[in-house]
Amino acid sequence: IGRPQKFFTSLNQVGATIVEAREFPDHHRFTSEEEVELMMIAGQQDLQLVCTAKDFVRLSPAIAERTQILEVGVKWQDEALLNKILKTLIAKES
């Protein structure tokens, strides 16, 4: 997520208590050292690691099995307008 604070806000909204948060740049490739550190901190404090599905695919199997995914999505306020825009764009492509 390009704006980590939105991710943290989403966690709070679903009832999570954030004990410790780490921010990484968008599209970050986690090093093995970073993963070991995160797993160590989570293990010592009995914490659950959480990330987005987008970041999850870049994790090694060792940390992935200990990490939960916070599913995020988009909800459009005006789906009819969205469909109109999409139909216009598709028509221009044809």
Side-chain angles (χ1 to χ4, degrees):
I1 289 186
R3 297 186 320 196
Q5 193 53 48
K6 287 188 79 170
F7 176 71
F8 302 142
T9 298
S10 295
L11 283 171
N12 284 323
Q13 288 174 339
V14 297
T17 300
I18 300 173
V19 175
E20 188 163 336
R22 297 287 174 97
E23 293 182 22
F24 295 94
D26 203 17
H27 305 286
H28 180 71
R29 294 263 179 217
F30 296 93
T31 66
S32 58
E33 291 82 12
E34 289 169 333
E35 289 185 349
V36 167
E37 180 185 5
L38 291 169
M39 288 188 292
M40 185 179 68
I41 291 168
Q44 289 172 342
Q45 299 182 47
D46 195 28
L47 304 175
Q48 175 63 59
L49 296 170
V50 182
C51 70
T52 64
K54 183 178 117 180
D55 291 326
F56 185 83
V57 298
R58 289 192 292 273
L59 298 177
S60 72
I63 192 170
E65 69 183 28
R66 297 177 61 183
T67 303
Q68 294 292 314
I69 299 171
L70 175 66
E71 298 289 342
V72 294
V74 175
K75 183 176 180 181
W76 300 97
Q77 291 179 335
D78 188 342
E79 287 189 40
L81 178 59
L82 172 64
N83 288 330
K84 182 179 177 181
I85 292 168
L86 292 174
K87 286 178 183 177
T88 301
L89 292 172
I90 291 169
K92 287 181 181 180
E93 293 287 323
S94 300

